[in-house]
Amino acid sequence: MRTSIATVSLSGPLTEKLTAAARAGFDGVEIFENDLLTSPLTPEEIRTRCADLGLTIDLYQPMRDIEAVPDDEFARNLRRAEHKFRLMRRLGADTVLVCSSVSPNAVDDDALAAAQLRQLAGLASEYDIRVAYEALAWGRHVNTYDHAWRIVEAADHPALGLCLDSFHILARGSDPKAIEDIPGEKIYFLQLADAPQLAMDVLQWSRHYRCFPGQGGLDVAGFLGHVLRAGYDGPLSLEIFNDVFRQADAATTAVDALRSLLVLQESTGVHASPAPVVPTGVAFAELVTTDVEPTAELLTALGFTRTGRHHGKPVDLWEQGEARILVNTGPAARRDGTVLAALGLESPDPAAAAHRAEALLAPVLPRRRTPGDVPLSSVAAPDGTALFFCATRRPELPSWTEDFDPTGQEADGHGIRHIDHLALTQPWHQFDEATLFHRGVLGLDAQDSVDVADPYGLLRSRAVSTADGSVRIALGVGPGPGDDLVRPQHIALACDDLVTTARRFSEAGGHLLSIPANYYEDLAARYGLPEEEWSVYQKLGILYDRDAYGTLRHCYTRTVGRVFFELVQRDGGYRGYGAPNAPVRLAAQRAAAY
Amino acid sequence: MRTSIATVSLSGPLTEKLTAAARAGFDGVEIFENDLLTSPLTPEEIRTRCADLGLTIDLYQPMRDIEAVPDDEFARNLRRAEHKFRLMRRLGADTVLVCSSVSPNAVDDDALAAAQLRQLAGLASEYDIRVAYEALAWGRHVNTYDHAWRIVEAADHPALGLCLDSFHILARGSDPKAIEDIPGEKIYFLQLADAPQLAMDVLQWSRHYRCFPGQGGLDVAGFLGHVLRAGYDGPLSLEIFNDVFRQADAATTAVDALRSLLVLQESTGVHASPAPVVPTGVAFAELVTTDVEPTAELLTALGFTRTGRHHGKPVDLWEQGEARILVNTGPAARRDGTVLAALGLESPDPAAAAHRAEALLAPVLPRRRTPGDVPLSSVAAPDGTALFFCATRRPELPSWTEDFDPTGQEADGHGIRHIDHLALTQPWHQFDEATLFHRGVLGLDAQDSVDVADPYGLLRSRAVSTADGSVRIALGVGPGPGDDLVRPQHIALACDDLVTTARRFSEAGGHLLSIPANYYEDLAARYGLPEEEWSVYQKLGILYDRDAYGTLRHCYTRTVGRVFFELVQRDGGYRGYGAPNAPVRLAAQRAAAY
């Protein structure tokens, strides 16, 4: 179906918004009145600019407080409307959005509302314009779609129809099923927005917290199904008021926006993207470093062995069990210190996974291949992490490990089995985008987000994972813009016997983050752990958590550059990430940094 | 009364919180359990630190999910509680907060709750500890203070009383009057918090948006009156969960916090600060500049005359009507460009105004006097602006203008009468503090805050003013931390005939911000202004607004350094600041900056 986006959803001046929408691949835009008023371009210039960019102007919006008002006020409203109809002709826009009135002067009189809307539509039709009437969730007398439809039906004018907005309908808890009873041709326009479940004042909620479909908690896909069964065939348009998007880069937001419509169409069955190829494990994590010694020391102490060297690039492969870490000291190491720059995702069909990612607008990264390399496709996640789709030593496919010349070194290790999860700090402006990306592009499931107290602000964390937990990524975001560039990332390594692994790490010269004694006294009080147990944990700096399924024991290495490691032992099917212990860990890291 | 603050209200590790609370002048603290768990100090060391800082530990908090649970669970809870009682003895804390249960296992059985709380209090009294039971607004079965009181009364134990929290009581809309029927000695603790009126989920509201008394919309003063009439004489304690305070500097937040308690006690009549001395006008605005030429050119084009030169400092006085601008090129001009650094407030009693400010913890600034200067007291506003309390050419008091040697220059000017208002950008972390400061310290009234769309994010603006409008300050805040250091400030100058004043400015070589033509077409549509009127406005860049009282015409100069000027003409008692036009102005300023 055709896709459209309201200019209010994107940041910057109107011309930047239009360019961003066009480059992302949208077919059209809704022009928000304020964006026109603040633009130095004339309406004719805006029309030309849109045409040059291949965008149609699908809607001009909004007209407010038009209907169900006293005669003299309505006469003024009509004069105002006629000004706007003339403007729309100059713009080349043929549909105008009229929001149900919030004016204190509006009266609760459906017949009057219908008569006045009929008159407005009559005037509009002289300019070949259609009026799309929308029930605002906080409209004074008209605030549900069925009420708006009764008025439109009563007005009975060929230039008057409805605009439906998923937010206004779902946020009030209205049942969208009866949309199917509305003739499709009377649904002039469809606006789609999601929102997190916040249970706040609906006006504030709408103005500040809307997000793209699939990023929030509303059933936008179910809603769209009803609208399509009604016979609607106009554009799917996004109208998102969001405090964060207002500050974010318009080009990035526009791509994110269009991706949300692709995923939405897929889940509603109206558009088939290539099927998701869910990864089955983490093939490797790649550290890029300017400072290889402390990284190598840390990996050695953790029990990793340097098993291979890339045949064409300064990249080492370190292994222990199924955990694999690449250490890259090549030209990509422009940044200071050590960063987690890439993930290899074990894929049942790497080519199909890359195809899916590309279809969902993931930026495909240029291949830094040297002659003889195994072909590897990669895309950039919203935080800039490169995601490689790959196969590791599977007979039917070339393995990325073949690019590494064996060092011949072998070692027993310290009991680390595989990479349990990765914790990646996201740009503040793109946290919701990151979740949708990992769900849509990689086919991971998202868990609820949790707040975690750092000494200097609340962090938000949301895990995405496969159903079996073979791939787990904890997406985190700090309290303000910018700190994603300094906040640590980490790699969690799974073992079966944490006490033994942690001891071996310490004996090999590794330093575990030390945890305050007060924590262990609380552990004793909270879980009744015997002293002989918690005193061992205290000595090593091991934290403990329980959920409904099992227990977690975990501890942390010191930070090298921006990266640290966690060692985790999950028992009995524990599903979480130790979030209750995160404030303790964060405070200890702050203290260690002084 | 004694003052206290919960450690959760301040940022940083526990030791920083304690130091900040002590330096601000608090008498005691509530220790939040998580702050203890994350601290490397032992309970004994925390006790000593508090004693050294002159702080008592008034409360240990919180214990959760204790009461109205099955026997085996309660037995575990008692064991957990005993651990905490032992810890409290080591800390030297004698009151513990028990929040009403939110556990899914809690049953709706007041008799069971009372019996178990009685048992808990019995155990507590063995450790000389009192239990303060508090109804959480989202408690599972107990969520109102009168319900909590019925249970405490039924339990009837000398070590069991109530904790009252203004947020939990006022946020639910409970009538606080019946607090007066509770014996004062059974109110063990009082927590005070305000919050903006947000109509959101009460748990989210409480966890993220609490603020200090007087910063929000709850009647905390009325609430306190009821508690005092009940006979409560314990500490007034602040327990504020706020996403912004968590990131802000603890020392600044602590001073802000204590100021809120001083203002609260004053408005409840329990503590008399020196009476407010409300300013009667703006004596001057002071620009500090490294770049005097463009500033002098702009003032000249505006019709100002350089009438005086400070006898001891490189400061010029520019005048027009009652508008006075100081241009300071002295050593304070360390910052780049031109900034608005100080305001002179015309005060009926400058010494008393300074005394009031100091009593309300406004930082008194060192006097940069040269010999023979008229005494001038000044304090720093939260945004760093120096506020001088002064008298201008009033017979009964020395005038600050006497420090300036007349230049002998005179001029007619362009019709500017006085400074209409000042718009000051506030640090993102201190917006609520700024409002309370201007209300408490200066005795100004605060208007509602409004959101304004900039092309790159929402700005929030809140005006503080005298009742007659003789002093008006618009406090603004950008969408994220840090941009207060770059966002422009402005000085609005009042005139009677804006078209004439704006023309003279242009003729004198001044440049007014140019406004898009689309704005004027909308003005015609919206207000039915005749073309001969709006075409004049369009030519000059004049914006237009109406409120319920009158009309506003206004226009803007270009920005010099970080400062620009606005010219305003208020008619018929217009009260606002042209907020509906702010998005147009902001977009035009962005466009002009490219």
Side-chain angles (χ1 to χ4, degrees):
Chain A
M1 297 182 74
R2 297 189 65 255
T3 56
S4 187
I5 187 166
T7 53
V8 74
S9 315
L10 300 169
S11 69
L14 181 59
T15 48
E16 278 182 26
K17 293 169 192 249
L18 297 176
T19 304
R23 288 210 182 141
F26 279 94
D27 302 308
V29 290
E30 306 175 26
I31 301 267
F32 185 60
E33 180 159 278
N34 237 29
D35 285 320
L36 179 121
L37 297 189
T38 58
S39 174
L41 298 191
T42 64
E44 290 80 2
E45 288 167 338
I46 295 169
R47 176 185 199 147
T48 306
R49 180 70 63 99
C50 287
D52 290 348
L53 290 166
L55 294 170
T56 52
I57 299 180
D58 295 325
L59 191 77
Y60 184 74
Q61 64 127 327
M63 272 188 203
R64 296 185 189 278
D65 297 336
I66 293 283
E67 84 287 10
V69 289
D71 283 351
D72 56 333
E73 189 171 336
F74 183 66
R76 282 197 301 276
N77 290 351
L78 273 188
R79 275 197 299 276
R80 174 157 61 95
E82 193 159 11
H83 267 98
K84 299 299 174 187
F85 294 153
R86 281 198 210 105
L87 169 71
M88 287 174 62
R89 291 278 26 112
R90 294 166 63 198
L91 271 179
D94 66 4
T95 306
V96 66
L97 175 70
V98 171
C99 298
S100 64
S101 181
V102 298
S103 164
N105 299 335
V107 293
D108 187 8
D109 181 342
D110 285 3
L112 181 64
Q116 291 182 342
L117 284 174
R118 184 182 165 81
Q119 226 180 315
L120 180 76
L123 181 64
S125 61
E126 292 174 26
Y127 293 87
D128 281 331
I129 284 170
R130 308 188 307 169
V131 173
Y133 182 57
E134 173 183 71
L136 291 182
W138 54 90
R140 188 164 159 78
H141 301 296
V142 179
N143 45 42
T144 59
Y145 75 88
D146 47 313
H147 191 177
W149 169 237
R150 287 197 301 276
I151 291 172
V152 166
E153 214 176 5
D156 190 28
H157 191 285
L160 180 67
L162 280 184
C163 173
L164 299 178
D165 181 311
S166 61
F167 180 86
H168 289 291
I169 294 167
L170 300 177
R172 286 188 59 97
S174 299
D175 183 349
K177 180 142 195 356
I179 292 171
E180 297 183 22
D181 303 329
I182 301 170
E185 69 277 10
K186 292 301 269 185
I187 304 174
Y188 284 0
F189 208 74
L190 177 63
Q191 292 177 321
L192 297 168
D194 200 345
Q197 296 289 8
L198 280 178
M200 70 193 292
D201 172 67
V202 72
L203 176 61
Q204 291 298 321
W205 191 22
S206 171
R207 292 261 169 94
H208 302 285
Y209 294 97
R210 287 182 178 214
C211 55
F212 295 124
Q215 293 182 343
L218 302 180
D219 181 15
V220 182
F223 171 84
L224 176 58
H226 294 300
V227 178
L228 296 179
R229 280 190 289 279
Y232 176 75
D233 62 359
L236 306 180
S237 189
L238 295 165
E239 192 206 25
I240 314 293
F241 301 87
N242 179 296
D243 288 357
V244 173
F245 296 162
R246 282 177 188 274
Q247 302 169 51
D249 174 61
T252 309
T253 308
V255 170
D256 180 28
L258 192 59
R259 179 182 306 122
S260 78
L261 281 185
L262 295 175
V263 174
L264 179 69
Q265 289 180 79
E266 177 178 49
S267 59
T268 321
V270 290
H271 173 83
S273 298
V277 182
V278 180
T280 56
V282 177
F284 63 83
E286 180 175 357
L287 301 178
V288 171
T289 185
T290 52
D291 202 16
V292 73
E293 290 240 343
T295 309
E297 272 171 26
L298 183 54
L299 288 171
T300 304
L302 282 165
F304 280 84
T305 303
R306 197 173 70 87
T307 57
R309 174 77 178 182
H310 195 279
H311 59 68
K313 286 183 285 193
V315 180
D316 287 330
L317 168 61
W318 293 72
E319 293 190 77
Q320 182 174 189
E322 296 293 311
R324 297 172 209 98
I325 311 283
L326 301 184
V327 178
N328 184 339
T329 53
R334 284 163 317 216
R335 287 172 279 192
D336 289 343
T338 302
V339 298
L340 176 51
L343 294 185
L345 295 168
E346 193 69 30
S347 180
D349 184 343
H355 188 47
R356 162 82 179 177
E358 201 172 344
L360 286 181
L361 312 176
V364 176
L365 293 172
R367 301 188 190 186
R368 293 169 295 165
R369 286 182 63 184
T370 50
D373 275 9
V374 168
L376 261 189
S377 294
S378 72
V379 297
D383 62 0
T385 305
L387 302 177
F388 288 86
F389 303 106
C390 50
T392 310
R393 296 168 186 146
R394 303 208 310 263
E396 73 280 15
L397 283 166
S399 174
W400 60 274
T401 53
E402 289 163 23
D403 292 339
F404 289 80
D405 302 326
T407 60
Q409 292 178 41
E410 275 179 47
D412 293 340
H414 296 162
I416 287 168
R417 300 286 186 181
H418 56 86
I419 291 177
D420 181 87
H421 67 273
L422 299 129
L424 301 174
T425 303
Q426 303 300 302
W428 192 77
H429 292 126
Q430 277 145 262
F431 188 62
D432 290 329
E433 170 178 12
T435 308
L436 183 65
F437 179 93
H438 287 88
R439 286 175 51 206
V441 172
L442 305 181
L444 302 181
D445 302 322
Q447 276 82 59
D448 288 342
S449 82
V450 292
D451 284 344
V452 169
D454 175 87
Y456 295 99
L458 282 188
L459 313 184
R460 202 149 58 101
S461 175
R462 192 167 186 188
V464 291
S465 64
T466 57
D468 65 357
S470 58
V471 176
R472 304 180 201 248
I473 303 174
L475 305 168
V477 70
D483 77 350
D484 57 293
L485 301 177
V486 293
R487 202 168 275 281
Q489 309 155 304
H490 79 263
I491 301 173
L493 302 165
C495 58
D496 296 336
D497 176 358
L498 180 60
V499 170
T500 300
T501 298
R503 275 198 184 125
R504 289 200 193 157
F505 173 67
S506 296
E507 287 159 12
H511 294 281
L512 287 166
L513 187 70
S514 107
I515 301 297
N518 298 330
Y519 170 81
Y520 293 96
E521 295 189 18
D522 181 63
L523 214 54
R526 195 146 27 124
Y527 295 117
L529 292 192
E531 186 172 347
E532 59 269 25
E533 185 174 351
W534 63 255
S535 63
V536 171
Y537 298 163
Q538 178 171 2
K539 209 173 145 202
L540 291 164
I542 291 175
L543 301 152
Y544 179 92
D545 188 35
R546 278 187 201 161
D547 68 7
Y549 309 96
T551 60
L552 178 73
R553 290 165 181 84
H554 56 142
C555 59
Y556 297 91
T557 70
R558 296 236 183 117
T559 304
V560 173
R562 279 186 59 202
V563 179
F564 62 92
F565 290 85
E566 180 179 4
L567 297 171
V568 310
Q569 176 187 344
R570 293 176 185 270
D571 287 300
Y574 177 91
R575 294 192 184 176
Y577 298 79
N581 294 326
V584 178
R585 187 256 298 172
L586 288 161
Q589 286 179 320
R590 292 265 186 196
Y594 286 123
Chain B
M1 297 183 75
R2 296 188 67 256
T3 55
S4 187
I5 187 166
T7 54
V8 74
S9 314
L10 300 170
S11 68
L14 181 60
T15 48
E16 278 182 25
K17 295 169 190 248
L18 297 176
T19 304
R23 287 209 182 141
F26 279 95
D27 302 307
V29 290
E30 304 175 25
I31 301 267
F32 185 60
E33 180 158 279
N34 237 28
D35 285 320
L36 180 122
L37 297 189
T38 59
S39 173
L41 299 192
T42 64
E44 290 79 4
E45 287 167 337
I46 294 169
R47 176 187 200 145
T48 306
R49 182 69 63 98
C50 287
D52 290 348
L53 290 166
L55 294 170
T56 52
I57 299 179
D58 295 326
L59 192 77
Y60 184 74
Q61 64 130 323
M63 274 189 203
R64 298 185 187 279
D65 297 337
I66 293 283
E67 84 289 10
V69 290
D71 283 350
D72 56 333
E73 189 171 337
F74 183 66
R76 281 197 301 275
N77 290 351
L78 273 188
R79 275 197 299 276
R80 173 158 60 98
E82 192 159 12
H83 268 97
K84 299 300 174 186
F85 295 152
R86 281 199 210 105
L87 168 71
M88 287 173 63
R89 292 280 23 114
R90 295 167 63 197
L91 270 179
D94 66 3
T95 307
V96 66
L97 175 70
V98 171
C99 298
S100 63
S101 181
V102 298
S103 164
N105 299 335
V107 292
D108 188 7
D109 179 341
D110 285 3
L112 181 63
Q116 291 182 341
L117 285 174
R118 185 182 163 82
Q119 224 179 317
L120 180 75
L123 181 62
S125 62
E126 292 175 25
Y127 294 87
D128 281 331
I129 284 170
R130 309 189 305 170
V131 173
Y133 182 56
E134 174 184 70
L136 291 182
W138 53 90
R140 189 162 158 80
H141 301 295
V142 179
N143 45 42
T144 60
Y145 74 89
D146 47 312
H147 192 176
W149 169 236
R150 285 197 303 276
I151 291 172
V152 167
E153 217 176 1
D156 189 27
H157 192 284
L160 180 66
L162 280 184
C163 173
L164 299 178
D165 181 312
S166 60
F167 180 87
H168 288 292
I169 293 168
L170 300 177
R172 285 188 59 96
S174 299
D175 183 349
K177 182 142 192 356
I179 292 172
E180 298 184 22
D181 304 330
I182 301 171
E185 69 277 9
K186 293 301 271 185
I187 304 175
Y188 284 180
F189 209 73
L190 177 62
Q191 292 177 320
L192 296 168
D194 200 346
Q197 296 288 8
L198 279 178
M200 69 192 293
D201 172 67
V202 73
L203 176 60
Q204 291 297 321
W205 191 22
S206 172
R207 293 261 168 95
H208 302 286
Y209 293 98
R210 286 182 177 217
C211 54
F212 295 125
Q215 292 181 344
L218 302 180
D219 181 14
V220 182
F223 171 84
L224 176 59
H226 294 301
V227 177
L228 296 179
R229 281 191 288 279
Y232 176 76
D233 62 359
L236 306 180
S237 190
L238 295 165
E239 192 205 24
I240 314 293
F241 301 86
N242 180 296
D243 288 358
V244 173
F245 297 163
R246 282 177 188 275
Q247 303 170 51
D249 174 61
T252 309
T253 307
V255 170
D256 180 29
L258 191 60
R259 181 182 304 122
S260 78
L261 281 185
L262 294 175
V263 174
L264 179 69
Q265 289 180 78
E266 177 177 48
S267 59
T268 321
V270 290
H271 173 83
S273 299
V277 181
V278 180
T280 56
V282 177
F284 63 82
E286 180 175 355
L287 302 178
V288 171
T289 183
T290 52
D291 201 18
V292 73
E293 289 239 345
T295 309
E297 272 171 26
L298 183 55
L299 288 171
T300 304
L302 282 165
F304 280 84
T305 302
R306 198 174 70 88
T307 57
R309 173 79 176 182
H310 195 278
H311 60 68
K313 286 184 285 195
V315 180
D316 287 330
L317 168 62
W318 294 72
E319 294 191 77
Q320 182 173 190
E322 296 293 311
R324 298 172 208 98
I325 310 283
L326 301 184
V327 177
N328 184 339
T329 52
R334 286 163 316 214
R335 288 174 278 196
D336 289 342
T338 301
V339 297
L340 177 50
L343 293 186
L345 295 169
E346 193 69 29
S347 179
D349 184 345
H355 188 46
R356 162 82 179 177
E358 201 171 343
L360 287 180
L361 312 177
V364 176
L365 294 173
R367 299 185 191 188
R368 293 169 295 165
R369 286 180 65 185
T370 49
D373 275 12
V374 167
L376 261 188
S377 295
S378 73
V379 298
D383 63 358
T385 304
L387 301 177
F388 288 86
F389 302 106
C390 50
T392 310
R393 296 167 186 144
R394 300 207 311 263
E396 73 280 15
L397 284 165
S399 174
W400 60 275
T401 53
E402 288 162 25
D403 292 340
F404 290 81
D405 302 325
T407 60
Q409 291 179 43
E410 276 180 46
D412 292 341
H414 295 163
I416 286 167
R417 299 288 187 182
H418 57 86
I419 291 177
D420 182 88
H421 68 272
L422 299 129
L424 301 175
T425 303
Q426 303 301 302
W428 192 77
H429 292 125
Q430 278 145 264
F431 187 62
D432 289 329
E433 170 179 12
T435 308
L436 183 66
F437 179 94
H438 286 88
R439 286 175 52 207
V441 173
L442 305 182
L444 303 180
D445 303 322
Q447 276 82 60
D448 288 342
S449 81
V450 293
D451 284 345
V452 169
D454 174 87
Y456 294 99
L458 281 189
L459 314 183
R460 202 149 58 101
S461 174
R462 191 167 187 190
V464 290
S465 65
T466 56
D468 65 357
S470 57
V471 176
R472 303 179 200 251
I473 303 174
L475 305 168
V477 70
D483 78 350
D484 57 294
L485 301 176
V486 293
R487 202 166 274 280
Q489 309 154 305
H490 79 264
I491 301 173
L493 302 164
C495 58
D496 296 336
D497 177 358
L498 180 60
V499 169
T500 301
T501 299
R503 273 196 184 127
R504 289 201 194 155
F505 174 67
S506 296
E507 286 158 12
H511 294 282
L512 287 166
L513 187 70
S514 111
I515 302 297
N518 297 331
Y519 171 81
Y520 294 97
E521 295 188 20
D522 180 63
L523 213 54
R526 194 144 32 123
Y527 295 116
L529 292 191
E531 186 172 347
E532 59 270 26
E533 186 176 348
W534 64 254
S535 64
V536 172
Y537 298 162
Q538 178 171 3
K539 210 174 145 200
L540 290 164
I542 290 176
L543 301 152
Y544 179 92
D545 188 35
R546 276 186 204 163
D547 68 7
Y549 308 96
T551 60
L552 178 74
R553 291 164 180 84
H554 56 143
C555 59
Y556 296 90
T557 70
R558 296 236 184 119
T559 304
V560 173
R562 281 185 58 202
V563 179
F564 63 92
F565 290 86
E566 179 179 5
L567 297 171
V568 310
Q569 176 187 343
R570 293 175 185 271
D571 287 300
Y574 177 90
R575 294 192 185 176
Y577 297 79
N581 294 326
V584 178
R585 186 255 299 171
L586 288 161
Q589 287 179 322
R590 292 267 186 194
Y594 286 122

